[in-house]
Amino acid sequence: SHGSPMLAADPGPVGQSLAALGQEMTALSPRAIVVVSPHWMTRRPAVTARAQQEAWHDFGGFPQELFDLLYGAPGSPQFAQQTIDMIKQTQVIADYDWGLDHGCWSVLKPMFPDATIPVFQLSMDFYMTPQQHYDLGKELAALRNKGVLIIGSGNIVHNLGRIQWSDTAYDWAIEFDSTIKHLIDIGDHQSNINYQKLGTAAQLSIPSNEHYLPLLYTLALKDEADSIAYFNEKVSMGSMSMRGVILG
């Protein structure tokens, strides 16, 4: 979960957890990082193929210190092309214009502050069904075998229209976050995919699904040997789940 882009400027407990996770991941020496972010929705899937990346400040209304932050990680044209080649269910195109949106770099900055690991993004096709997103996620498995860290960045519960400036979470937000955790624990990915059938709590938690979909890419990559761990298990601002899920 990435929450507000202020995570990069004012990390707090969420950023501290990401920093600790980043240290663990750095010890594994990932060759590259690919991020699926809700802030890059396209008419067909695309990957950033630039040799050098830059942080895009694709938001407004935040303090100047956030706009002053930079994240100039190298890109990975090599792995971008391999991603294009390995996905068979649909055509994936190379994109040389998109930078790193805040769904990507606001998470990477606390995790990998030195910005030395190559980064590229995979967009989500606006017209795909949740099942198609999950199926596409499965096709990324070969990247894991090549030493690429795959991050789905979003939020399980994400209802900006119901945000409140307190630590009191809505009952429906807690319910849906707990339901999704339970489904992950028991390996019921099909119910995660068909989240619309999970009742009123799901409808309130996911008024639009772009922030939820990156979770499906993550779950699609799970194999029988993977353990499951969680961090930042909290609903903040009433209607935003900050739960993180680690599979590996």
Side-chain angles (χ1 to χ4, degrees):
S1 296
H2 66 250
S4 164
M6 281 301 294
L7 175 65
D10 183 17
V14 172
Q16 292 170 12
S17 295
L18 288 171
L21 178 60
Q23 290 179 357
E24 294 180 26
M25 296 296 103
T26 299
L28 298 175
S29 301
R31 297 177 63 194
I33 302 168
V34 59
V35 180
V36 180
S37 165
H39 298 285
W40 194 22
M41 304 290 290
T42 53
R43 292 184 64 88
R44 67 178 65 177
V47 289
T48 54
R50 299 165 60 168
Q52 183 64 38
Q53 298 284 20
E54 61 180 336
W56 281 15
H57 301 86
D58 52 334
F59 42 72
F62 289 94
Q64 184 59 41
E65 62 176 314
L66 187 59
F67 293 90
D68 292 338
L69 290 180
L70 303 176
Y71 196 80
S76 183
Q78 172 192 359
F79 280 118
Q81 185 59 52
Q82 290 183 30
T83 303
I84 290 171
D85 294 339
M86 73 176 56
I87 294 176
K88 304 302 182 184
Q89 79 171 59
T90 187
Q91 181 185 15
V92 179
I93 62 174
D95 183 283
Y96 296 92
D97 298 319
W98 194 262
L100 302 180
D101 61 57
H102 77 270
C104 174
W105 69 268
S106 68
V107 172
L108 294 184
K109 192 165 184 65
M111 290 184 71
F112 308 104
D114 294 337
T116 56
I117 303 173
V119 178
F120 65 106
Q121 285 193 229
L122 170 67
S123 76
M124 293 189 293
D125 187 332
F126 182 84
Y127 297 97
M128 281 186 174
T129 66
Q131 181 68 59
Q132 289 173 318
H133 285 290
Y134 180 86
D135 293 342
L136 194 154
K138 279 189 171 297
E139 294 196 72
L140 300 178
L143 289 176
R144 289 187 67 183
N145 300 330
K146 295 176 182 291
V148 176
L149 174 62
I150 303 172
I151 298 177
S153 174
N155 294 92
I156 291 173
V157 178
H158 187 269
N159 188 333
L160 294 182
R162 301 295 292 272
I163 276 180
Q164 54 187 5
W165 302 103
S166 73
D167 286 334
T168 302
Y170 292 105
D171 290 343
W172 49 263
I174 296 173
E175 174 189 342
F176 186 70
D177 180 69
S178 298
T179 297
I180 293 302
K181 177 184 182 298
H182 172 69
L183 293 173
I184 294 172
D185 286 340
I186 65 175
D188 186 359
H189 292 182
Q190 205 57 49
S191 291
N192 282 300
I193 294 167
N194 297 320
Y195 67 88
Q196 302 98 326
K197 299 181 179 180
L198 296 177
T200 301
Q203 296 171 16
L204 290 168
S205 298
I206 310 178
S208 59
N209 68 5
E210 73 286 342
H211 277 75
Y212 179 79
L213 291 173
L215 174 67
L216 300 184
Y217 285 77
T218 304
L219 296 181
L221 290 160
K222 185 180 184 303
D223 61 35
E224 293 183 358
D226 285 332
S227 61
I228 304 171
Y230 301 95
F231 62 102
N232 293 332
E233 298 182 82
K234 180 181 179 181
V235 176
S236 67
M237 303 178 74
S239 59
M240 188 177 297
S241 168
M242 295 307 298
R243 178 182 299 279
V245 184
I246 306 170
L247 303 175

